[in-house]
């Protein structure tokens, strides 16, 4: 660990010390009740970065009790909405103030390039807090035109204690997507970051306290899914659970919610179609197809992992994509020149290489990549991979790979591609590339997906809702729709 520590960028040296990182419960930094810790690894080197307190059911219980107390008797839900706004704005400012440190920490823990963490993840997290900072003063109830001998109105109240379980692909940004709307609505939270990437959530915990979030309002318990995560999903004092991750675990969360009928929102996997027509701006489509799959090493729930290309341009288009993939600069995330980093973990590395083998066995043709990038040492580097002549029924076209692997599928016409694009259990996102405006609108309506991008891809903004159709989950995060997830409505009757 000492070797790694010496190489740490200056901004993060104070945060990653040889002492293990603690968890945040009731406004205090504490060890796990069991005293256990686990290591978080730098995916670029496969070396341990830091040891972190390993929360389990007992710690989740302590955290839920702290959140319960903060909700039932603490100042946060009762606070003047404009004062909650001020706190949320301070959080956004503090994230921006510590932008370099957070970006470096994110890159060290997740592997993603500093280019992306600095330009996407960290500003995206700050903007999410800033967007939701505007909401507390704009969450209205109604007065209802009832029988004149009564006065009836509604109150839009917070749901209560929210359990939030997040994945490792955008650690800080996912924390922001979850925390910001929950806090804006006056809830309290127990957040469980992914075991692979706990560090930026813990640093955020420090910033939340600095911004004036009262004790117990946000509790952060790192730990493993089957222990800490499951305890949170099952806890009888949790009112709502919000989960982002695999569809498989999403189903477990839903089952666990039945115990006390928690409200549930699920943002799950995808196998999003990205559709390129002959009449598209070919250069823009090629750049969009590339970014659509290789952004964040393909570890993106809405990645355009099924690339449908109109038959007449299929060979030329996939050649262009393959040559861009061959020339991308892959390397350690901290290198400013890197545009593709390692995968997050040994497990994910093996999983992605396993899928590449499956694709080869299924008869898909490797146009480029198709193997680990061993020249880059011990890190979890997989070369960007383009599979050609894929059939939509192959496993590599149906199952979420979550890596830098695109399956390219030729199509004949509009009818053919709509049918095949929708032929998936998922429905998170889709892309369409065409200059024909009517066709763009027709296809946007025909696709069963929560987001459709026309002549762009991966466009996100806290003002616009994001979430899935079908087995990509339910509930919409971001935008005003996330307020539905974190509030409930009370009808009050008064005899006049
Ligand atoms: P995952 O298991 O679904 O992890 C997501 C979160 O859920 C993590 O915090 C995880 O904890 C937690 N968790 C795991 N099992 C749980 C349980 N039984 N109860 C409560 N919480 C639980 O995802 P993964 O294993 O990291 O990745 C596997 C695959 O999931 C990926 O290859 C990809 O296909 C998909 N995935 C999708 C997204 C997305 O954004 N939609 C994100 C990540 C992964 P741990 O940190 O301990 O695992
Ligand atoms: Mg890590």
């Amino acid at each position: 660990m000492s070797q790694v520590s010496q190489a740490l960028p200056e901004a993060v040296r104070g945060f990653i010390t040889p002492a293990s990182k603690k968890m945040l419960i009731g406004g205090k930094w504490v060890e796990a009740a069991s005293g256990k810790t686990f290591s978080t690894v730098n995916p670029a080197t496969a070396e341990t970065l830091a040891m972190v307190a390993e929360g389990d059911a007992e710690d989740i219980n302590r955290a839920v009790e702290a959140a319960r107390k903060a909700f039932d008797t603490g100042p946060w839900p009762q606070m003047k909405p404009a004062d909650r706004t001020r706190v949320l704005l301070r959080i956004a400012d503090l994230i921006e103030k510590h932008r370099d440190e957070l970006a470096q920490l994110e890159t060290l823990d997740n592997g993603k390039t500093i280019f992306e963490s600095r330009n996407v993840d960290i500003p995206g997290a700050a903007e999410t807090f800033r967007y939701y900072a505007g909401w507390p003063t704009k969450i209205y109830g109604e007065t209802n035109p009832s029988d004149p001998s009564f006065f009836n109105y509604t109150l839009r109240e917070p749901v209560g204690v929210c359990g939030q379980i997040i994945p490792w692909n955008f650690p800080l940004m996912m924390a922001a997507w979850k925390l910001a709307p929950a806090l804006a609505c006056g809830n309290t939270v127990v957040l469980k970051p992914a075991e692979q990437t706990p560090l930026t959530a813990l640093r955020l915990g420090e910033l939340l306290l600095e911004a004036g979030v009262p004790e117990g309002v946000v509790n952060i318990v790192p730990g493993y899914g089957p222990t800490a995560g499951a305890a949170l999903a099952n806890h009888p004092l949790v009112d709502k659970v919000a989960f982002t991750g695999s569809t498989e675990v999403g189903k477990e969360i839903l089952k666990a919610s039945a115990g006390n009928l928690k409200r549930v929102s699920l943002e799950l996997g995808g196998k999003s179609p990205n559709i390129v027509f002959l009449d598209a701006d070919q250069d823009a489509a090629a750049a969009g197809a590339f970014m659509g799959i290789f952004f964040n090493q393909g570890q993106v729930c809405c990645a355009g992992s099924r690339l449908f290309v109109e038959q007449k341009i299929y060979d030329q288009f996939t050649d262009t994509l393959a040559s861009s993939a061959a020339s991308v600069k892959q390397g350690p995330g901290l290198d400013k020149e890197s545009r593709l980093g390692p995968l997050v973990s040994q497990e994910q590395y093996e999983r992605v290489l396993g899928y590449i083998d499956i694709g080869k066995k299924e008869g898909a043709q490797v146009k480029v990549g198709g193997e680990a990038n061993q020249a880059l040492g011990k890190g979890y580097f997989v070369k960007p991979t383009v599979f050609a002549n894929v059939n939509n029924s192959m496993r590599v076209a149906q199952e979420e790979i979550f890596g830098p692997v695109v399956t390219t599928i030729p199509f004949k016409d509009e009818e053919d591609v709509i049918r095949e694009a929708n032929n998936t259990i998922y429905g998170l996102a889709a892309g369409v590339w065409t200059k024909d405006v009517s066709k763009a609108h027709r296809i946007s309506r025909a696709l069963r997906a929560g987001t459709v991008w026309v002549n762009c891809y991966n466009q996100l903004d806290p003002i616009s809702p994001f979430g899935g159709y079908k087995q990509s989950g339910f509930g919409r995060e971001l935008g005003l729709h996330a307020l539905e997830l974190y509030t409930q409505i009370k009808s009050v009757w008064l005899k006049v």
Side-chain angles (χ1 to χ4, degrees):
M1 198 155 83
S2 59
Q3 261 181 332
V4 179
S5 315
Q6 276 164 21
L8 289 177
E10 181 149 14
V12 302
R13 224 173 281 154
F15 184 72
I16 303 185
T17 57
S20 59
K21 304 308 299 177
K22 296 180 180 174
M23 57 182 81
L24 179 61
I25 297 180
K28 307 269 179 322
W29 292 98
V30 297
E31 314 274 5
S34 67
K36 281 201 254 176
T37 58
F38 68 103
S39 65
T40 188
V41 166
N42 177 351
T45 60
E47 288 176 72
T48 293
L49 256 179
M51 299 304 292
V52 177
E54 182 193 324
D56 61 19
E58 199 175 335
D59 304 295
I60 289 291
N61 194 41
R62 288 195 288 165
V64 170
E65 281 174 359
R68 191 76 258 167
K69 187 168 162 222
F71 187 79
D72 293 341
T73 60
W76 188 251
Q78 311 298 334
M79 193 181 274
K80 231 168 73 181
D83 288 339
R84 278 208 298 272
T85 291
R86 287 188 182 86
V87 174
L88 288 165
L89 286 174
R90 280 202 292 274
I91 299 170
D93 289 345
L94 282 168
I95 292 173
E96 271 167 6
K97 180 174 164 197
H98 295 279
R99 177 173 171 165
D100 287 334
E101 175 196 345
L102 288 164
Q104 289 168 358
L105 208 50
E106 200 74 303
T107 288
L108 282 164
D109 210 10
N110 167 282
K112 64 176 67 207
T113 64
I114 193 80
F115 178 75
E116 285 180 10
S117 51
R118 205 174 182 291
N119 295 313
V120 180
D121 295 70
I122 312 307
E127 282 305 298
T128 303
F129 278 104
R130 189 162 287 125
Y131 169 78
Y132 281 105
W135 272 113
T137 51
K138 297 166 195 76
I139 299 171
Y140 296 95
E142 304 132 14
T143 57
N144 300 319
S146 176
D147 180 332
S149 55
F150 293 91
F151 173 47
N152 176 237
Y153 64 94
T154 61
L155 292 171
R156 194 174 264 274
E157 298 186 328
V159 171
V161 174
C162 303
Q164 303 187 320
I165 301 172
I166 55 172
W168 42 258
N169 52 346
F170 295 92
L172 187 72
M173 201 151 74
M174 288 298 106
W177 283 27
K178 293 279 181 288
L179 290 171
L183 293 177
C185 297
N187 297 279
T188 63
V189 175
V190 177
L191 177 77
K192 193 203 86 66
E195 84 205 32
Q196 298 85 349
T197 55
L199 296 179
T200 47
L202 295 175
R203 182 69 183 104
L204 177 65
E206 296 178 347
L207 299 179
L208 296 176
L209 296 180
E210 191 180 336
V213 174
E215 66 180 48
V217 171
V218 177
N219 305 273
I220 304 176
V221 182
Y224 294 109
T227 50
L232 189 54
N234 277 293
H235 203 292
L237 297 181
V238 171
D239 299 297
K240 183 217 157 44
V241 63
F243 171 80
T244 298
S246 60
T247 293
E248 195 190 345
V249 174
K251 291 177 184 177
E252 293 301 314
I253 302 283
L254 193 57
K255 281 186 211 151
S257 73
N260 66 334
L261 289 179
K262 291 178 188 66
R263 280 135 192 81
V264 180
S265 49
L266 301 173
E267 203 267 90
L268 308 176
K271 195 74 190 180
S272 298
N274 195 5
I275 304 169
V276 180
F277 283 96
L278 172 65
D279 63 10
D281 172 337
Q282 296 298 308
D283 291 342
F290 181 89
M291 186 268 284
I293 183 63
F294 297 125
F295 174 58
N296 203 32
Q297 294 67 245
Q299 301 167 130
V300 183
C301 49
C302 52
S305 50
R306 287 186 301 147
L307 182 66
F308 289 93
V309 185
E310 194 163 342
Q311 188 81 64
K312 290 187 186 115
I313 51 165
Y314 181 81
D315 288 336
Q316 190 194 339
F317 195 88
T318 52
D319 282 347
T320 308
L321 182 65
S323 69
S324 309
S327 61
V328 68
K329 173 105 174 67
Q330 187 166 32
L334 280 184
D335 182 341
K336 287 196 176 62
E337 304 301 315
S338 293
R339 291 295 176 271
L340 201 73
L343 297 178
V344 72
S345 63
Q346 175 83 31
E347 188 188 354
Q348 197 61 16
Y349 173 80
E350 283 167 9
R351 183 185 156 96
V352 171
L353 290 174
Y355 269 112
I356 290 175
D357 276 346
I358 290 170
K360 289 174 184 166
K361 291 200 184 101
E362 287 181 306
Q365 177 209 343
V366 175
K367 270 189 100 81
V368 70
E371 59 185 2
N373 195 340
Q374 274 159 355
L376 291 170
K378 281 206 237 138
Y380 311 128
F381 294 94
V382 173
K383 289 184 184 171
T385 298
V386 177
F387 273 125
N389 299 321
V390 175
N391 182 307
N392 191 42
S393 61
M394 289 178 182
R395 279 185 68 191
V396 284
Q398 288 295 319
E399 296 175 24
E400 186 175 47
I401 298 175
F402 228 62
V405 181
V406 64
T407 55
T408 66
I409 307 170
F411 72 87
K412 206 166 63 220
D413 56 26
E414 205 176 308
E415 195 188 335
D416 174 31
V417 78
I418 290 170
R419 189 187 57 248
E420 289 306 313
N422 282 335
N423 189 358
T424 163
I425 60 165
Y426 296 112
L428 193 57
V432 184
W433 298 84
T434 176
K435 285 185 185 154
D436 179 337
V437 177
S438 298
K439 183 154 77 181
H441 284 293
R442 268 197 313 273
I443 292 180
S444 301
R445 290 180 188 190
L447 290 169
R448 297 198 62 211
T451 295
V452 178
W453 288 297
V454 180
N455 296 331
C456 57
Y457 207 89
N458 280 339
Q459 193 61 36
L460 289 167
D461 188 309
I463 67 165
S464 183
F466 186 80
Y469 280 33
K470 301 198 272 183
Q471 292 189 42
S472 292
F474 49 76
R476 292 292 175 270
E477 299 197 288
L478 302 185
L480 65 92
H481 298 277
L483 305 175
E484 304 285 338
L485 305 181
Y486 291 102
T487 55
Q488 57 192 340
I489 291 170
K490 178 181 284 173
S491 178
V492 180
W493 290 90
L494 192 135
K495 180 93 176 72
V496 176

